[in-house]
Amino acid sequence: MKKGVVYLVGAGPGDPGLITVKGLECIRQADAIVYDRLASPELLREARKDAQIIYVGKASSQHAMAQGDINCLLVVLAVQGKTVVRLKGGDPFVFGRGGEEAETLAEAGIPFQVVPGVTSAIAAPAYAGIPVTHRDFTSGLAIFTGHEDPLKDGSAISWEKISTGVGTLVFLMGMENLDAIVERLLTNGRPPETPVALVRWGTLPQQETLVGDLSTIAAKARESGFAAPAVIVVGEVVSLRDRLRWFDNRPLSGKRVLVTRTREQASQLSALLRDHGAEAVECPTIEIQPVEDFSEMDSALSNLAQYDWVIFTSVHGVRSVLARLQDLGRSADALSECRLAAIGPSTARELEGAGLRVAYQPEEYVAEAIVEGLDGVAGKRILLPRADIARESLAIGLREKGAVVDEVDAYRTVSASAEAGPVRQMLATRQIDAVTFTSSSTVRNFVALLEQGTKKEERGTGNEEQGRGDEERGIGNKERGTREKGLRVLDLLKGVKVACIGPVTSRTAHELGLHVDVVAKEYTIPGLVQALEEFYAKERR
Ligand code: SAH
């Protein structure tokens, strides 16, 4: 049997990008992952599909599983020959009880490795614009637990030494004892005007920072209801935040934005939104699936030489055609017999990535512009691989100019309803600031998803019809479009800014009764993000 091993891995403080390369590799390899509440849940998506994922949640007071049981669990899994990852928030050896887990493993003779992580003690201040050391202010840093009541007799912390002996003090798990911590520092000689910052949910989009000094911070925290999880930073370095603030003052900071693309496509938009400060919530409304019947496509692909142009209107179109060619035992090169047009830069990149040359790409990224731009199409044969629910304006426009157009279904878009529940909930509780749409179908499917939820809710639980209802939940069931449901959807979207990638998508949104607040000037993902930024910049002014 394979020999088991345990990796004690630091997941970092929250921003999933702050895990180490080695830590991520461990997650990807693991047979079993044992994780805590504070670890970023996104990281678990990196796990193998068949990995065993065990939650042993650790809120500071209520342990879902006692530490002793966690220690045993690690040993048991390893004895079964598994590669186990013990994923812990921040760094495993900074107040994570990773030391105790390692001791247990050592005693049991289980091989283990430690993969250090980025600790919240340093990262949360950093994301608040506070360097924990700085030549001009302090030559040292000390990290303490604020968990035990500092006013209790026999405190494990030597308050009389640390209060004046160390430049920067960071307390973890200290929010409940903030008053007492402050009092201890003051009575032991730290000046009342010493700056203090509280950083809550550090490195995450919802990060909040409260700044004061030793004489004011406790009252300020009480007034604003500032709660855990937070780090407390005490020392002159806190004053640097005024100049070094960088994370929570970006154009989209504090905004929670819905991304309605497919799971595969969402990442680019989500990453860009996050980079500009927003929290991106992915709500895939559609999934891309192969067509059921390939005969049309196959016959077109076996006669590629007869076409003057192949026009691709989406990345999916490119991928589907390339995948089908591969299934047929042919290479992408087969397409080089024709001239290729791409509707936008992503589609062009997809073709170029397969080693193909794009002969034409319109300046404006809408189908109509292709018709305008491709002059001299009269009498030419054009192949148009598209989604089964594509708009027909391109084909019509080309035919009007005298082209002979073969449209073939290259892929299907089907409704992805899995994530609708949580997103509806967030909308209902007004937690979403904006929703982005990158195509007409994302708008239609999003509205359809919300309507389905409405229907389910109206039906109530335990209703006999509930089971039967599932079949009706495909896209485009016209009967569902009652006025009432439309109103419910609009109600859910009240106050939510609607941002569209271009005029066609925006028109669809209008048609469905949505109020469109933002339309990108450049019809690309970066164009969409920029338009959203400009919108909020204006709103702020
Ligand atoms: N091993 C962890 C700390 C675990 S103790 C680390 O190295 O970061 C849990 C405490 O860490 C919380 O009570 C809080 O004080 C702090 N903490 C963890 N993540 C945090 C975050 N994202 N923002 C602010 N504080 C955080």
Side-chain angles (χ1 to χ4, degrees):
M1 193 171 75
K2 195 175 75 164
K3 209 160 175 333
V5 55
V6 177
Y7 293 88
L8 295 170
V9 177
D15 177 345
L18 291 180
I19 191 168
T20 62
V21 174
K22 187 165 184 178
L24 187 58
E25 199 43 46
C26 289
I27 291 177
R28 288 180 176 150
Q29 306 274 337
D31 298 310
I33 298 178
V34 179
Y35 76 103
D36 283 341
R37 184 178 74 120
L38 280 179
S40 15
E42 276 108 303
L43 293 175
L44 295 175
R45 279 208 212 130
E46 298 287 334
R48 273 175 17 212
K49 285 234 156 53
D50 62 339
Q52 198 180 347
I53 302 210
I54 306 165
Y55 174 66
V56 292
K58 264 194 177 176
S60 70
S61 51
Q62 52 189 67
H63 290 202
M65 195 187 265
Q67 187 63 46
D69 295 338
I70 298 175
N71 297 350
C72 286
L73 176 67
L74 296 178
V75 172
V76 167
L77 291 167
V79 167
Q80 290 168 355
K82 291 184 173 143
T83 298
V84 183
V85 163
R86 171 70 176 111
L87 191 61
K88 302 172 78 71
D91 180 274
F93 280 1
V94 177
F95 300 123
R97 304 186 71 169
E100 291 160 57
E101 291 170 11
E103 276 181 314
T104 306
L105 295 168
E107 265 164 41
I110 308 266
F112 67 89
Q113 293 190 26
V114 183
V115 183
V118 173
T119 177
S120 63
I122 294 174
Y127 271 49
I130 302 168
V132 285
T133 73
H134 188 291
R135 267 161 50 112
D136 297 342
F137 296 97
T138 173
S139 49
L141 157 74
I143 303 170
F144 298 95
T145 170
H147 190 51
E148 74 178 66
D149 183 352
L151 299 179
K152 243 181 16 201
D153 285 342
S155 164
I157 298 174
S158 336
W159 293 93
E160 66 290 351
K161 291 190 180 131
I162 69 154
S163 295
T164 52
V166 184
T168 306
L169 305 169
V170 173
F171 295 88
L172 304 186
M173 300 174 281
M175 283 311 293
E176 278 177 29
N177 292 319
L178 180 63
D179 292 76
I181 291 170
V182 165
E183 193 185 321
R184 277 288 200 167
L185 293 173
L186 287 171
T187 52
N188 284 286
R190 194 81 180 212
E193 57 280 5
T194 309
V196 184
L198 311 178
V199 187
R200 174 170 200 256
W201 289 122
T203 78
L204 288 160
Q206 64 268 35
Q207 172 175 315
E208 278 177 71
T209 300
L210 186 67
V211 178
D213 61 30
L214 276 180
S215 67
T216 60
I217 196 72
K220 277 189 167 181
R222 236 186 336 269
E223 272 159 35
S224 59
F226 204 95
V231 301
I232 304 168
V233 194
V234 180
E236 293 304 323
V237 286
V238 168
S239 63
L240 286 161
R241 171 169 159 85
D242 284 342
R243 276 184 284 144
L244 301 186
R245 197 171 163 184
W246 63 273
F247 177 73
D248 49 9
N249 59 354
R250 288 171 301 163
L252 296 177
S253 290
K255 303 293 177 203
R256 192 178 276 135
V257 181
L258 266 187
V259 173
T260 58
R261 312 189 87 193
T262 59
R263 171 80 62 217
E264 303 78 53
Q265 280 192 316
S267 51
Q268 188 203 355
L269 177 53
S270 300
L272 205 56
L273 286 167
R274 287 184 187 125
D275 201 42
H276 291 236
E279 177 179 359
V281 177
E282 293 184 2
C283 173
T285 56
I286 49 177
E287 270 168 31
I288 302 301
Q289 291 193 353
V291 289
E292 273 155 359
D293 177 4
F294 278 104
S295 53
E296 261 186 354
M297 168 125 80
D298 288 354
S299 96
L301 293 182
S302 60
N303 287 306
L304 278 172
Q306 67 174 331
Y307 295 107
D308 299 292
W309 285 98
V310 184
I311 303 179
F312 288 96
T313 55
S314 74
V315 170
H316 296 307
V318 177
R319 287 190 190 151
S320 312
V321 167
L322 293 179
R324 189 59 188 165
L325 280 171
Q326 196 176 19
D327 289 347
L328 297 172
R330 301 168 68 190
S331 76
D333 268 352
L335 285 169
S336 51
E337 294 185 49
C338 330
R339 280 188 288 171
L340 306 180
I343 196 171
S346 310
T347 309
R349 244 189 327 271
E350 198 69 26
L351 286 165
E352 284 157 2
L356 294 162
R357 206 181 79 78
V358 177
Y360 178 68
Q361 190 192 319
E363 259 155 39
E364 220 192 348
Y365 311 130
V366 290
E368 287 78 0
I370 284 214
V371 180
E372 288 297 307
L374 277 182
D375 40 32
V377 293
K380 293 276 160 48
R381 290 204 66 146
I382 296 177
L383 176 63
L384 198 56
R386 42 143 223 192
D388 57 354
I389 53 163
R391 285 179 305 124
E392 284 168 358
S393 52
L394 177 58
I396 293 170
L398 289 166
R399 285 192 187 111
E400 275 169 5
K401 291 210 158 190
V404 180
V405 183
D406 286 347
E407 295 174 79
V408 297
D409 293 344
Y411 58 93
R412 291 182 303 142
T413 51
V414 298
S415 172
S417 52
E419 336 261 317
V423 165
R424 267 191 116 256
Q425 189 57 32
M426 287 175 123
L427 285 167
T429 50
R430 307 286 173 223
Q431 292 184 62
I432 301 288
D433 296 291
V435 53
T436 54
F437 294 115
T438 51
S439 68
S440 290
S441 53
T442 56
V443 188
R444 277 191 217 104
N445 294 327
F446 181 67
V447 169
L449 270 191
L450 293 186
E451 280 174 358
Q452 285 166 25
T454 304
K455 185 175 185 182
K456 215 152 85 188
E457 198 174 82
E458 278 163 359
R459 224 189 271 133
T461 46
N463 186 319
E464 281 180 18
E465 274 178 37
Q466 197 146 1
R468 263 181 270 155
D470 285 337
E471 280 163 33
E472 299 167 14
R473 290 204 193 116
I475 314 173
N477 186 334
K478 297 255 166 30
E479 282 160 48
R480 283 189 281 104
T482 64
R483 239 181 126 168
E484 201 176 310
K485 265 180 247 142
L487 287 177
R488 293 289 290 274
V489 170
L490 292 188
D491 197 40
L492 275 179
L493 291 176
K494 201 181 275 168
V496 176
K497 307 299 177 206
V498 173
C500 295
I501 198 166
V504 177
T505 306
S506 166
R507 206 177 314 136
T508 306
H510 272 298
E511 281 163 14
L512 289 167
L514 305 189
H515 180 276
V516 178
D517 302 272
V518 180
V519 183
K521 290 194 199 84
E522 195 199 335
Y523 315 147
T524 60
I525 297 295
L528 177 60
V529 174
Q530 193 187 343
L532 202 58
E533 262 182 45
E534 285 167 7
F535 173 83
Y536 279 119
K538 212 185 270 167
E539 202 185 52
R540 236 169 269 135
R541 267 185 255 123

PDB file of all heavy atoms in Angstrom, residues 8 18 36 50 86 96 131 174 184 197 211 230 243 313 318 340 348 378 380 386 415 427 430 452 459 476 481 484 489:
ATOM      1  N   LEU A   8       0.940  19.950   6.089  1.00  0.00           N
ATOM      2  CA  LEU A   8       0.298  21.041   6.839  1.00  0.00           C
ATOM      3  C   LEU A   8       0.481  22.297   6.005  1.00  0.00           C
ATOM      4  O   LEU A   8       1.584  22.846   5.927  1.00  0.00           O
ATOM      5  CB  LEU A   8       0.962  21.216   8.199  1.00  0.00           C
ATOM      6  CG  LEU A   8       0.820  20.040   9.171  1.00  0.00           C
ATOM      7  CD1 LEU A   8       1.724  20.238  10.378  1.00  0.00           C
ATOM      8  CD2 LEU A   8      -0.625  19.910   9.612  1.00  0.00           C
ATOM      9  N   LEU A  18      -3.051  34.306  -2.591  1.00  0.00           N
ATOM     10  CA  LEU A  18      -1.953  34.365  -1.626  1.00  0.00           C
ATOM     11  C   LEU A  18      -1.554  33.002  -1.070  1.00  0.00           C
ATOM     12  O   LEU A  18      -0.861  32.930  -0.066  1.00  0.00           O
ATOM     13  CB  LEU A  18      -2.309  35.324  -0.480  1.00  0.00           C
ATOM     14  CG  LEU A  18      -2.372  36.805  -0.869  1.00  0.00           C
ATOM     15  CD1 LEU A  18      -2.732  37.669   0.336  1.00  0.00           C
ATOM     16  CD2 LEU A  18      -1.064  37.279  -1.474  1.00  0.00           C
ATOM     17  N   ASP A  36     -10.374  24.292   7.377  1.00  0.00           N
ATOM     18  CA  ASP A  36     -10.997  25.150   8.388  1.00  0.00           C
ATOM     19  C   ASP A  36     -11.908  26.183   7.774  1.00  0.00           C
ATOM     20  O   ASP A  36     -11.877  26.419   6.588  1.00  0.00           O
ATOM     21  CB  ASP A  36      -9.903  25.957   9.093  1.00  0.00           C
ATOM     22  CG  ASP A  36      -9.154  25.138  10.087  1.00  0.00           C
ATOM     23  OD1 ASP A  36      -9.674  24.109  10.491  1.00  0.00           O
ATOM     24  OD2 ASP A  36      -8.039  25.547  10.441  1.00  0.00           O
ATOM     25  N   ASP A  50     -12.222  13.544  -7.222  1.00  0.00           N
ATOM     26  CA  ASP A  50     -12.499  12.410  -6.333  1.00  0.00           C
ATOM     27  C   ASP A  50     -11.874  12.574  -4.947  1.00  0.00           C
ATOM     28  O   ASP A  50     -11.895  11.659  -4.137  1.00  0.00           O
ATOM     29  CB  ASP A  50     -12.000  11.115  -6.982  1.00  0.00           C
ATOM     30  CG  ASP A  50     -10.490  11.140  -7.203  1.00  0.00           C
ATOM     31  OD1 ASP A  50      -9.918  12.259  -7.233  1.00  0.00           O
ATOM     32  OD2 ASP A  50      -9.878  10.074  -7.344  1.00  0.00           O
ATOM     33  N   ARG A  86      -3.704  19.149   5.218  1.00  0.00           N
ATOM     34  CA  ARG A  86      -4.376  19.839   6.329  1.00  0.00           C
ATOM     35  C   ARG A  86      -4.252  21.314   5.992  1.00  0.00           C
ATOM     36  O   ARG A  86      -3.180  21.921   6.131  1.00  0.00           O
ATOM     37  CB  ARG A  86      -3.665  19.497   7.645  1.00  0.00           C
ATOM     38  CG  ARG A  86      -4.150  20.330   8.811  1.00  0.00           C
ATOM     39  CD  ARG A  86      -5.570  19.945   9.203  1.00  0.00           C
ATOM     40  NE  ARG A  86      -6.021  20.681  10.377  1.00  0.00           N
ATOM     41  CZ  ARG A  86      -6.974  21.606  10.348  1.00  0.00           C
ATOM     42  NH1 ARG A  86      -7.571  21.928   9.205  1.00  0.00           N
ATOM     43  NH2 ARG A  86      -7.340  22.218  11.448  1.00  0.00           N
ATOM     44  N   GLY A  96      -2.369  28.576  14.708  1.00  0.00           N
ATOM     45  CA  GLY A  96      -3.302  27.709  14.010  1.00  0.00           C
ATOM     46  C   GLY A  96      -3.369  26.335  14.658  1.00  0.00           C
ATOM     47  O   GLY A  96      -4.035  25.438  14.156  1.00  0.00           O
ATOM     48  N   PRO A 131       2.764  48.778   6.471  1.00  0.00           N
ATOM     49  CA  PRO A 131       3.906  47.871   6.546  1.00  0.00           C
ATOM     50  C   PRO A 131       4.201  47.608   8.019  1.00  0.00           C
ATOM     51  O   PRO A 131       4.317  48.563   8.786  1.00  0.00           O
ATOM     52  CB  PRO A 131       5.058  48.662   5.905  1.00  0.00           C
ATOM     53  CG  PRO A 131       4.549  50.043   5.673  1.00  0.00           C
ATOM     54  CD  PRO A 131       3.149  50.158   6.173  1.00  0.00           C
ATOM     55  N   GLY A 174      -8.337  38.973  18.794  1.00  0.00           N
ATOM     56  CA  GLY A 174      -8.383  39.883  19.932  1.00  0.00           C
ATOM     57  C   GLY A 174      -9.609  40.771  20.007  1.00  0.00           C
ATOM     58  O   GLY A 174      -9.741  41.561  20.948  1.00  0.00           O
ATOM     59  N   ARG A 184      -4.523  47.378  29.072  1.00  0.00           N
ATOM     60  CA  ARG A 184      -3.229  46.832  29.494  1.00  0.00           C
ATOM     61  C   ARG A 184      -2.068  47.624  28.902  1.00  0.00           C
ATOM     62  O   ARG A 184      -1.092  47.935  29.596  1.00  0.00           O
ATOM     63  CB  ARG A 184      -3.115  45.371  29.024  1.00  0.00           C
ATOM     64  CG  ARG A 184      -3.776  44.403  29.953  1.00  0.00           C
ATOM     65  CD  ARG A 184      -2.978  44.272  31.228  1.00  0.00           C
ATOM     66  NE  ARG A 184      -3.302  43.050  31.931  1.00  0.00           N
ATOM     67  CZ  ARG A 184      -2.592  42.562  32.940  1.00  0.00           C
ATOM     68  NH1 ARG A 184      -1.525  43.206  33.369  1.00  0.00           N
ATOM     69  NH2 ARG A 184      -2.953  41.457  33.534  1.00  0.00           N
ATOM     70  N   ALA A 197      -4.840  50.271  14.244  1.00  0.00           N
ATOM     71  CA  ALA A 197      -5.758  49.934  13.152  1.00  0.00           C
ATOM     72  C   ALA A 197      -6.367  48.564  13.410  1.00  0.00           C
ATOM     73  O   ALA A 197      -5.703  47.663  13.921  1.00  0.00           O
ATOM     74  CB  ALA A 197      -5.020  49.935  11.815  1.00  0.00           C
ATOM     75  N   VAL A 211      -9.380  52.989  11.860  1.00  0.00           N
ATOM     76  CA  VAL A 211      -8.155  53.543  12.433  1.00  0.00           C
ATOM     77  C   VAL A 211      -8.502  54.498  13.571  1.00  0.00           C
ATOM     78  O   VAL A 211      -9.471  55.243  13.497  1.00  0.00           O
ATOM     79  CB  VAL A 211      -7.345  54.290  11.337  1.00  0.00           C
ATOM     80  CG1 VAL A 211      -6.083  54.923  11.935  1.00  0.00           C
ATOM     81  CG2 VAL A 211      -6.967  53.336  10.215  1.00  0.00           C
ATOM     82  N   ALA A 230     -10.602  39.881  12.804  1.00  0.00           N
ATOM     83  CA  ALA A 230      -9.805  41.063  12.514  1.00  0.00           C
ATOM     84  C   ALA A 230      -8.457  40.973  13.205  1.00  0.00           C
ATOM     85  O   ALA A 230      -8.317  40.274  14.209  1.00  0.00           O
ATOM     86  CB  ALA A 230     -10.542  42.310  12.996  1.00  0.00           C
ATOM     87  N   ARG A 243      -0.754  57.347   3.411  1.00  0.00           N
ATOM     88  CA  ARG A 243      -0.022  57.490   2.147  1.00  0.00           C
ATOM     89  C   ARG A 243       0.014  56.206   1.332  1.00  0.00           C
ATOM     90  O   ARG A 243       0.137  56.248   0.130  1.00  0.00           O
ATOM     91  CB  ARG A 243       1.421  57.931   2.437  1.00  0.00           C
ATOM     92  CG  ARG A 243       1.554  59.434   2.605  1.00  0.00           C
ATOM     93  CD  ARG A 243       2.993  59.824   2.788  1.00  0.00           C
ATOM     94  NE  ARG A 243       3.464  59.515   4.145  1.00  0.00           N
ATOM     95  CZ  ARG A 243       4.687  59.086   4.428  1.00  0.00           C
ATOM     96  NH1 ARG A 243       5.554  58.903   3.453  1.00  0.00           N
ATOM     97  NH2 ARG A 243       5.038  58.844   5.674  1.00  0.00           N
ATOM     98  N   THR A 313     -18.235  33.673 -34.789  1.00  0.00           N
ATOM     99  CA  THR A 313     -18.846  34.747 -34.002  1.00  0.00           C
ATOM    100  C   THR A 313     -18.663  34.539 -32.498  1.00  0.00           C
ATOM    101  O   THR A 313     -19.173  35.310 -31.702  1.00  0.00           O
ATOM    102  CB  THR A 313     -20.358  34.853 -34.298  1.00  0.00           C
ATOM    103  OG1 THR A 313     -20.935  33.568 -34.059  1.00  0.00           O
ATOM    104  CG2 THR A 313     -20.613  35.262 -35.727  1.00  0.00           C
ATOM    105  N   VAL A 318     -15.357  28.568 -32.305  1.00  0.00           N
ATOM    106  CA  VAL A 318     -14.015  28.108 -32.698  1.00  0.00           C
ATOM    107  C   VAL A 318     -13.712  26.772 -32.021  1.00  0.00           C
ATOM    108  O   VAL A 318     -13.308  25.797 -32.665  1.00  0.00           O
ATOM    109  CB  VAL A 318     -12.937  29.146 -32.298  1.00  0.00           C
ATOM    110  CG1 VAL A 318     -11.551  28.626 -32.648  1.00  0.00           C
ATOM    111  CG2 VAL A 318     -13.205  30.490 -32.963  1.00  0.00           C
ATOM    112  N   LEU A 340     -10.488  33.213 -42.897  1.00  0.00           N
ATOM    113  CA  LEU A 340     -11.218  33.169 -41.633  1.00  0.00           C
ATOM    114  C   LEU A 340     -11.492  34.588 -41.126  1.00  0.00           C
ATOM    115  O   LEU A 340     -10.620  35.453 -41.182  1.00  0.00           O
ATOM    116  CB  LEU A 340     -10.400  32.422 -40.566  1.00  0.00           C
ATOM    117  CG  LEU A 340      -9.916  31.016 -40.943  1.00  0.00           C
ATOM    118  CD1 LEU A 340      -9.130  30.405 -39.789  1.00  0.00           C
ATOM    119  CD2 LEU A 340     -11.092  30.112 -41.324  1.00  0.00           C
ATOM    120  N   ALA A 348     -10.638  35.872 -32.274  1.00  0.00           N
ATOM    121  CA  ALA A 348      -9.441  35.883 -33.124  1.00  0.00           C
ATOM    122  C   ALA A 348      -8.288  35.176 -32.420  1.00  0.00           C
ATOM    123  O   ALA A 348      -7.579  34.354 -33.002  1.00  0.00           O
ATOM    124  CB  ALA A 348      -9.058  37.321 -33.461  1.00  0.00           C
ATOM    125  N   ALA A 378     -20.557  39.307 -52.645  1.00  0.00           N
ATOM    126  CA  ALA A 378     -21.550  38.816 -53.608  1.00  0.00           C
ATOM    127  C   ALA A 378     -21.023  37.564 -54.304  1.00  0.00           C
ATOM    128  O   ALA A 378     -19.882  37.529 -54.774  1.00  0.00           O
ATOM    129  CB  ALA A 378     -21.855  39.902 -54.634  1.00  0.00           C
ATOM    130  N   LYS A 380     -20.012  34.927 -53.063  1.00  0.00           N
ATOM    131  CA  LYS A 380     -19.048  34.137 -52.283  1.00  0.00           C
ATOM    132  C   LYS A 380     -19.794  33.135 -51.404  1.00  0.00           C
ATOM    133  O   LYS A 380     -20.903  33.391 -50.951  1.00  0.00           O
ATOM    134  CB  LYS A 380     -18.199  35.075 -51.393  1.00  0.00           C
ATOM    135  CG  LYS A 380     -17.285  35.994 -52.192  1.00  0.00           C
ATOM    136  CD  LYS A 380     -16.003  35.300 -52.559  1.00  0.00           C
ATOM    137  CE  LYS A 380     -15.224  35.896 -53.716  1.00  0.00           C
ATOM    138  NZ  LYS A 380     -15.018  37.325 -53.703  1.00  0.00           N
ATOM    139  N   ARG A 386     -22.334  28.521 -35.635  1.00  0.00           N
ATOM    140  CA  ARG A 386     -22.933  29.387 -34.615  1.00  0.00           C
ATOM    141  C   ARG A 386     -23.658  28.540 -33.567  1.00  0.00           C
ATOM    142  O   ARG A 386     -23.812  27.328 -33.714  1.00  0.00           O
ATOM    143  CB  ARG A 386     -23.913  30.359 -35.250  1.00  0.00           C
ATOM    144  CG  ARG A 386     -24.766  29.665 -36.308  1.00  0.00           C
ATOM    145  CD  ARG A 386     -26.149  30.103 -36.383  1.00  0.00           C
ATOM    146  NE  ARG A 386     -26.961  28.906 -36.532  1.00  0.00           N
ATOM    147  CZ  ARG A 386     -28.217  28.912 -36.846  1.00  0.00           C
ATOM    148  NH1 ARG A 386     -28.838  30.040 -37.037  1.00  0.00           N
ATOM    149  NH2 ARG A 386     -28.895  27.798 -36.965  1.00  0.00           N
ATOM    150  N   SER A 415     -29.325  25.943 -20.084  1.00  0.00           N
ATOM    151  CA  SER A 415     -29.420  26.661 -18.820  1.00  0.00           C
ATOM    152  C   SER A 415     -28.619  25.956 -17.716  1.00  0.00           C
ATOM    153  O   SER A 415     -28.669  24.744 -17.588  1.00  0.00           O
ATOM    154  CB  SER A 415     -30.901  26.742 -18.426  1.00  0.00           C
ATOM    155  OG  SER A 415     -31.014  27.262 -17.140  1.00  0.00           O
ATOM    156  N   LEU A 427     -29.319  38.480  -4.017  1.00  0.00           N
ATOM    157  CA  LEU A 427     -30.082  39.584  -4.606  1.00  0.00           C
ATOM    158  C   LEU A 427     -31.207  39.997  -3.662  1.00  0.00           C
ATOM    159  O   LEU A 427     -31.433  41.191  -3.423  1.00  0.00           O
ATOM    160  CB  LEU A 427     -30.666  39.160  -5.954  1.00  0.00           C
ATOM    161  CG  LEU A 427     -29.681  39.079  -7.118  1.00  0.00           C
ATOM    162  CD1 LEU A 427     -30.309  38.360  -8.304  1.00  0.00           C
ATOM    163  CD2 LEU A 427     -29.200  40.470  -7.548  1.00  0.00           C
ATOM    164  N   ARG A 430     -30.141  42.149  -0.992  1.00  0.00           N
ATOM    165  CA  ARG A 430     -29.476  43.383  -1.473  1.00  0.00           C
ATOM    166  C   ARG A 430     -27.963  43.361  -1.276  1.00  0.00           C
ATOM    167  O   ARG A 430     -27.372  44.337  -0.843  1.00  0.00           O
ATOM    168  CB  ARG A 430     -30.062  44.623  -0.772  1.00  0.00           C
ATOM    169  CG  ARG A 430     -31.576  44.719  -0.864  1.00  0.00           C
ATOM    170  CD  ARG A 430     -32.032  45.125  -2.234  1.00  0.00           C
ATOM    171  NE  ARG A 430     -33.482  45.069  -2.362  1.00  0.00           N
ATOM    172  CZ  ARG A 430     -34.124  44.568  -3.428  1.00  0.00           C
ATOM    173  NH1 ARG A 430     -33.450  44.087  -4.445  1.00  0.00           N
ATOM    174  NH2 ARG A 430     -35.433  44.568  -3.499  1.00  0.00           N
ATOM    175  N   GLN A 452     -37.312  31.019 -12.722  1.00  0.00           N
ATOM    176  CA  GLN A 452     -37.468  29.645 -12.225  1.00  0.00           C
ATOM    177  C   GLN A 452     -37.516  29.631 -10.711  1.00  0.00           C
ATOM    178  O   GLN A 452     -38.329  28.985 -10.098  1.00  0.00           O
ATOM    179  CB  GLN A 452     -36.297  28.777 -12.669  1.00  0.00           C
ATOM    180  CG  GLN A 452     -36.361  28.385 -14.110  1.00  0.00           C
ATOM    181  CD  GLN A 452     -35.024  27.838 -14.564  1.00  0.00           C
ATOM    182  OE1 GLN A 452     -34.244  27.349 -13.751  1.00  0.00           O
ATOM    183  NE2 GLN A 452     -34.761  27.925 -15.841  1.00  0.00           N
ATOM    184  N   ARG A 459     -44.431  27.888  -5.474  1.00  0.00           N
ATOM    185  CA  ARG A 459     -45.028  26.583  -5.334  1.00  0.00           C
ATOM    186  C   ARG A 459     -44.937  26.046  -3.903  1.00  0.00           C
ATOM    187  O   ARG A 459     -45.720  25.211  -3.496  1.00  0.00           O
ATOM    188  CB  ARG A 459     -44.317  25.621  -6.290  1.00  0.00           C
ATOM    189  CG  ARG A 459     -45.293  24.741  -7.022  1.00  0.00           C
ATOM    190  CD  ARG A 459     -44.542  23.694  -7.748  1.00  0.00           C
ATOM    191  NE  ARG A 459     -44.177  24.125  -9.073  1.00  0.00           N
ATOM    192  CZ  ARG A 459     -42.971  23.979  -9.580  1.00  0.00           C
ATOM    193  NH1 ARG A 459     -42.006  23.473  -8.871  1.00  0.00           N
ATOM    194  NH2 ARG A 459     -42.722  24.352 -10.792  1.00  0.00           N
ATOM    195  N   GLY A 476     -36.370  29.193 -22.589  1.00  0.00           N
ATOM    196  CA  GLY A 476     -37.280  29.568 -23.652  1.00  0.00           C
ATOM    197  C   GLY A 476     -38.692  29.042 -23.497  1.00  0.00           C
ATOM    198  O   GLY A 476     -39.446  29.017 -24.457  1.00  0.00           O
ATOM    199  N   GLY A 481     -43.288  33.247 -18.897  1.00  0.00           N
ATOM    200  CA  GLY A 481     -43.039  34.684 -18.893  1.00  0.00           C
ATOM    201  C   GLY A 481     -44.240  35.510 -18.473  1.00  0.00           C
ATOM    202  O   GLY A 481     -44.569  36.488 -19.119  1.00  0.00           O
ATOM    203  N   GLU A 484     -46.363  38.790 -13.818  1.00  0.00           N
ATOM    204  CA  GLU A 484     -46.099  38.788 -12.394  1.00  0.00           C
ATOM    205  C   GLU A 484     -44.665  38.369 -12.093  1.00  0.00           C
ATOM    206  O   GLU A 484     -43.954  39.003 -11.329  1.00  0.00           O
ATOM    207  CB  GLU A 484     -47.062  37.823 -11.737  1.00  0.00           C
ATOM    208  CG  GLU A 484     -47.244  38.084 -10.273  1.00  0.00           C
ATOM    209  CD  GLU A 484     -48.290  37.149  -9.734  1.00  0.00           C
ATOM    210  OE1 GLU A 484     -49.374  37.075 -10.335  1.00  0.00           O
ATOM    211  OE2 GLU A 484     -47.980  36.481  -8.761  1.00  0.00           O
ATOM    212  N   VAL A 489     -38.837  39.445 -10.793  1.00  0.00           N
ATOM    213  CA  VAL A 489     -37.435  39.521 -11.200  1.00  0.00           C
ATOM    214  C   VAL A 489     -36.941  40.955 -11.093  1.00  0.00           C
ATOM    215  O   VAL A 489     -35.866  41.234 -10.560  1.00  0.00           O
ATOM    216  CB  VAL A 489     -37.258  38.970 -12.632  1.00  0.00           C
ATOM    217  CG1 VAL A 489     -35.860  39.264 -13.145  1.00  0.00           C
ATOM    218  CG2 VAL A 489     -37.532  37.481 -12.654  1.00  0.00           C
TER     219      VAL A 489
END
